[in-house]
Amino acid sequence: LVIAFCLGLCSPARGEAPVLKAGVLDFPPYYIVKNENDVRGSLAEVIRKVLDRAGYTYVLNGYPPKRLYKNIADGTVQVWLGVGGVPDYEGKVLYSDIKVEEIEVRLYTLDGKPLLRKMEDLKGKTVILQRGYGYGGLVSFLEDPRNKITPDYTDGHELAFKKLLKGRAEYLMDYRQPADAVISKERLSGVKSIPMKTLGVHFIVSKKAPDAENLLKKIDAAYLALKKEGAFK
């Protein structure tokens, strides 16, 4: 009887809702991943506020891009706030219609080099890319062997710009917000850029999440309620 009583105390209550798993990747200033369990940044706070308002018990963890995308695709992570056009999870997720933020994909080069205005102009070039990033679907063009583009993969925005400055490639593709943070922090000069694509940031729910459609509806409702109250600009 004593053992049974203890087991009853230690076991989750029947019908207790499972812990929701939300994930992000390092993407300053929106997401700053100090370690897997220490996630900060403006969009990380949006996720927390929305899931709190929706009444979910959750954990928010940081992952490398490829692992996050895999986890979203297989349901290990059920929610994140990001962009579409990622081959690893396209067709395996549900997107909110609500656009929370906009981010810009830009092509960077150094003074003295021509700014290319079309993706087709990158054919035959070497381009520095963040490993695992989808760039809103542009990565499919960049990795297509028919375009004879040589991707120079890297991990981290600072390292990407170091490669550009050292002449490892003439061009670097990156998202404006983390790129601006590096340029400002390192006081880089002689760098110029041009926009290639603007992407909407939406709540994304894995199709393998339990009751995925209802989960997304609750998230949308919580976000709209908070926005109406002035919680978000």
Side-chain angles (χ1 to χ4, degrees):
L1 288 173
V2 171
I3 292 172
F5 179 72
C6 291
L7 287 172
L9 288 178
C10 297
S11 301
R14 286 185 181 179
E16 183 177 321
V19 175
L20 192 67
K21 293 182 180 178
V24 303
L25 48 78
D26 192 55
F27 195 89
Y30 296 133
Y31 298 124
I32 302 167
V33 177
K34 298 292 184 179
N35 58 59
E36 183 176 336
N37 301 308
D38 185 356
V39 177
R40 308 173 192 181
S42 58
L43 288 185
E45 291 311 304
V46 172
I47 293 174
R48 290 187 175 103
K49 287 179 180 179
V50 168
L51 294 183
D52 284 339
R53 181 60 172 263
Y56 287 101
T57 301
Y58 64 91
V59 294
L60 178 59
N61 295 128
Y63 301 93
K66 273 289 188 183
R67 193 186 308 168
L68 173 64
Y69 302 155
K70 174 184 177 296
N71 288 349
I72 284 285
D74 66 22
T76 305
V77 169
Q78 291 95 47
V79 178
W80 100 285
L81 182 54
V83 300
V86 177
D88 291 4
Y89 60 63
E90 203 62 44
K92 300 174 183 177
V93 297
L94 302 174
Y95 293 97
S96 169
D97 291 330
I98 300 167
K99 183 167 62 177
V100 175
E101 184 63 80
E102 279 189 348
I103 58 175
E104 200 174 69
V105 179
R106 298 185 73 91
L107 186 68
Y108 294 82
T109 191
L110 301 178
D111 287 344
K113 304 291 183 182
L115 269 177
L116 307 181
R117 299 180 180 276
K118 298 183 296 183
M119 292 294 293
E120 288 75 13
D121 295 335
L122 286 171
K123 289 181 178 180
K125 308 291 186 184
T126 299
V127 184
I128 300 166
L129 303 174
Q130 294 288 330
R131 197 183 315 277
Y133 278 25
Y135 302 102
L138 297 181
V139 71
S140 297
F141 181 89
L142 295 165
E143 293 180 338
D144 189 334
R146 293 172 296 181
N147 295 325
K148 298 181 180 180
I149 296 170
T150 303
D152 185 347
Y153 297 105
T154 190
D155 295 301
H157 303 278
E158 290 187 21
L159 181 56
F161 275 94
K162 286 180 181 178
K163 284 186 173 183
L164 182 67
L165 293 170
K166 289 181 179 178
R168 285 280 297 269
E170 287 185 298
Y171 297 97
L172 158 66
M173 189 161 288
D174 207 349
Y175 294 95
R176 181 179 65 81
Q177 290 80 355
D180 283 353
V182 172
I183 291 169
S184 176
K185 177 185 174 184
E186 301 297 325
R187 298 181 180 179
L188 302 182
S189 60
V191 177
K192 59 185 180 180
S193 66
I194 191 168
M196 302 301 285
K197 191 171 186 178
T198 300
L199 308 173
V201 176
H202 303 262
F203 275 101
I204 297 173
V205 170
S206 173
K207 286 184 178 179
K208 293 194 174 181
D211 200 8
E213 290 187 5
N214 192 46
L215 170 59
L216 185 57
K217 287 179 182 178
K218 288 184 177 180
I219 287 172
D220 281 352
Y223 177 82
L224 290 174
L226 287 165
K227 189 172 179 64
K228 186 176 181 180
E229 294 168 6
F232 310 126
K233 295 180 180 180

